[in-house]
Amino acid sequence: MLENKRYDNHREHLHGYVVRRRIDLLETIIPFFRQYPMLSSKQQDFEKFARCVELIAAGRHLVVDGLVEIAHITEEMNRRKSRHDLIRILRGHTPDIRDTG
């Protein structure tokens, strides 16, 4: 657990939990935020993020239609990047993708 001391107008310091393994996302983080949802619009983005992690865990990022599905979801989360840029970024992290088309 990391602590980020704040010296602005907030009363409490921020705490962060660092995750380095996908299994920790699947078994700890995602279940926690599904059991204790955020009371803000961030919960919607979290659900999209969780869906992407689940698709990757199922190996969907290794085929073109799965990669496109992930890109569609992430496009809804981050409106600052085009679909083309998102697919390029995902391909950079999935060099073993197989084309099913």
Side-chain angles (χ1 to χ4, degrees), residues 36-87:
Y36 304 102
M38 291 171 267
L39 303 176
S40 70
S41 61
K42 289 184 180 190
Q43 184 66 25
Q44 293 173 344
D45 278 345
F46 165 76
E47 287 298 338
K48 292 171 188 171
F49 166 78
R51 179 71 182 134
C52 289
V53 172
E54 292 163 347
L55 288 168
I56 291 168
R60 296 284 296 145
H61 65 296
L62 299 175
V63 294
V64 172
D65 61 330
L67 188 61
V68 169
E69 182 180 1
I70 292 168
H72 283 287
I73 294 168
T74 57
E75 184 179 54
E76 294 174 6
M77 292 170 54
N78 186 350
R79 299 184 192 279
R80 290 174 277 159
K81 294 200 182 302
S82 69
R83 179 177 295 129
H84 173 77
D85 287 342
L86 291 170
I87 290 173

Side-chain angles (χ1 to χ4, degrees), residues 1-6 10-19 29 32-33:
M1 176 87 55
L2 302 174
E3 182 178 38
N4 183 9
K5 296 188 184 246
R6 297 179 73 169
H10 293 86
R11 293 183 184 151
E12 298 176 359
H13 297 306
L14 298 174
H15 296 273
Y17 183 81
V18 177
V19 177
I29 303 300
F32 176 85
F33 283 107

Side-chain angles (χ1 to χ4, degrees), residues 17-30:
Y17 183 81
V18 177
V19 177
R20 290 191 168 79
R21 300 182 314 156
R22 184 184 326 137
I23 195 73
D24 294 332
L25 289 171
L26 291 165
E27 293 182 357
T28 304
I29 303 300
I30 292 172

